[in-house]
Amino acid sequence: MSAGFDPDLVALVDDFFGSESDAAAVEAAERTGFPAAMWAGADEIGLPRVGLPESLGGAGGSLLDAVAVLVGSGRHAVPLPMLESWLAGWVLTEAGRPVDGSPLAFTTGTDRDSLEIVDGRGHGTLHRVGWGRSASQVVAVVPGGVVVLDVSGAEVRERTDLAGMPRDDLTFSGAPALKCDVSRESVLVRATLGRAAQLAGATEAAFALTHAYVGQREQFGRPIGRFQAVAQHVVLLAQAATTSMHVVERAALALSDHEAAFEAAAAKLVASENASIAIAAAHQAHGAIGMTQEYRLQQFTRRLMAWRAEHGSGAVLAAELGRTAARADSLAHLITDPAPLLLEPAS
């Protein structure tokens, strides 16, 4: 973990999720659904609300603290709506509304969505909402802005992503809906950075698990990590974990200073590309055991596969960054001082 994050907070996150979100707990959540006891424990020490103002029910702390929690949630494959609840909580508190510690859902929308807001009521469907079935409210980024809807009366069609975590379709028929006076761009940049943080954590976990495995597994009388072909995979994993963590921290520091759309998009692009590298390298080094349900590697690599396309796929982010670079006075200026430039969303 980078020195930029609070070491005491990092230790707290690792201690809690290291004991609560082990392989058996993650597997159980995939089978039985939302782990309420784990959520209650996490909320008791304020983890889902880190970075939100205490005056509105948050746990206090900085954006960098919130990112540290999200990195930790990825590193332990936490089967909870950590990013979704933090994003929704940020929108609510920015709008002056309190948070109460209940799980929240969040979505940036899909092309298939049909939600309409009429006279303060929501009608239509939101597709693939993270943890929709377990939430009291959902915050949705829609073409007209950012809205909060009551989930209690919604019709839920349960779906899951590649990691086995909920991505539900929610159909509303007159649900109370509140439009928040919060910038769509501000929400989207935090979603992009938050998912990059979780990717960085999961990549770090894949590296740690692989490094330990190749040091213990022996072939021809010596650990397989001493064979050059295997060592090359471990080096690739180490590079992926280190660079992902570095760009996420840099983007978090930038976003603490200005609306760092360029840095967040760049961090997510690097983390997504590194996720692809990490998936291949980790499974190559492990061989057949890495594909088994009983071995934990797949809990990390399935998350890497699911998350790398969320809140900005590689192709979309690369195109956005390219358009931004084309508008810059010089590439050197863009890299050293991107603050004045905002990403131009794809049409």
Side-chain angles (χ1 to χ4, degrees):
M1 174 66 72
S2 169
F5 296 115
D6 182 345
D8 292 332
L9 176 60
V10 172
L12 175 65
V13 172
D14 284 337
D15 285 346
F16 179 78
F17 286 133
S19 62
E20 296 294 323
S21 184
D22 60 10
V26 175
E27 192 273 333
E30 289 189 40
R31 286 187 292 103
T32 62
F34 183 74
M38 188 189 302
W39 175 267
D43 187 65
E44 184 176 359
I45 55 177
L47 294 183
R49 294 174 285 111
V50 167
L52 305 180
E54 293 181 79
S55 60
L56 292 171
S62 65
L63 172 70
L64 200 64
D65 293 332
V67 171
V69 173
L70 293 173
V71 169
S73 72
R75 189 165 52 248
H76 295 282
V78 175
L80 293 173
M82 297 300 294
L83 175 60
E84 293 80 3
S85 285
W86 177 72
L87 288 169
W90 183 83
V91 169
L92 289 169
T93 55
E94 283 292 297
R97 296 171 64 84
V99 292
D100 61 6
S102 60
L104 302 170
F106 174 84
T107 178
T108 56
T110 72
D111 292 340
R112 298 167 53 212
D113 291 348
S114 60
L115 182 71
E116 294 182 347
I117 308 299
V118 180
D119 296 330
R121 298 281 172 171
H123 303 268
T125 300
L126 293 172
H127 294 86
R128 299 192 61 77
V129 176
W131 298 90
R133 73 190 72 167
S134 305
S136 59
Q137 295 176 298
V138 57
V139 170
V141 180
V142 296
V146 182
V147 297
V148 182
L149 297 111
D150 186 351
V151 178
S152 60
E155 178 185 340
V156 179
R157 182 179 182 184
E158 296 186 357
R159 297 178 179 271
T160 58
D161 63 12
L162 287 172
M165 297 295 99
R167 291 292 183 272
D168 302 321
D169 296 343
L170 304 179
T171 300
F172 301 92
S173 301
L178 173 70
K179 185 172 182 179
C180 295
D181 187 19
V182 178
S183 161
R184 294 178 75 253
E185 290 73 19
S186 294
V187 181
L188 292 173
V189 72
R190 285 162 176 79
T192 299
L193 177 58
R195 193 60 93 203
Q198 291 187 305
L199 282 167
T203 300
E204 191 176 64
F207 162 67
L209 190 62
T210 304
H211 185 262
Y213 175 78
V214 301
Q216 298 167 358
R217 176 79 165 87
E218 291 192 356
Q219 191 75 280
F220 305 114
R222 58 176 174 163
I224 62 172
R226 295 185 183 177
F227 292 96
Q228 184 175 359
V230 177
Q232 183 178 0
H233 295 310
V234 179
V235 169
L236 287 173
L237 273 164
Q239 292 172 336
T242 301
T243 56
S244 291
M245 199 66 68
H246 177 69
V247 297
V248 163
E249 182 193 332
R250 287 289 302 274
L253 288 168
L255 188 55
S256 299
D257 177 68
H258 58 270
E259 200 67 7
F262 180 88
E263 294 95 325
K268 176 59 166 57
L269 177 59
V270 170
S272 293
E273 291 183 342
N274 281 340
S276 298
I277 294 170
I279 293 165
H283 281 287
Q284 286 283 354
H286 275 88
I289 191 174
M291 302 297 293
T292 62
Q293 186 173 5
E294 294 75 18
Y295 190 73
R296 196 171 196 194
L297 179 63
Q298 47 80 25
Q299 292 183 347
F300 301 118
T301 55
R302 285 190 291 120
R303 279 167 172 75
L304 291 174
M305 285 188 282
W307 289 341
R308 62 187 174 181
E310 291 185 354
H311 303 318
S313 67
V316 169
L317 291 172
E320 290 177 348
L321 290 167
R323 285 191 293 270
T324 303
R327 300 200 312 273
D329 294 336
S330 73
L331 186 58
H333 178 262
L334 175 63
I335 293 171
T336 57
D337 185 23
L341 287 169
L342 296 178
L343 289 174
E344 181 180 288
S347 57

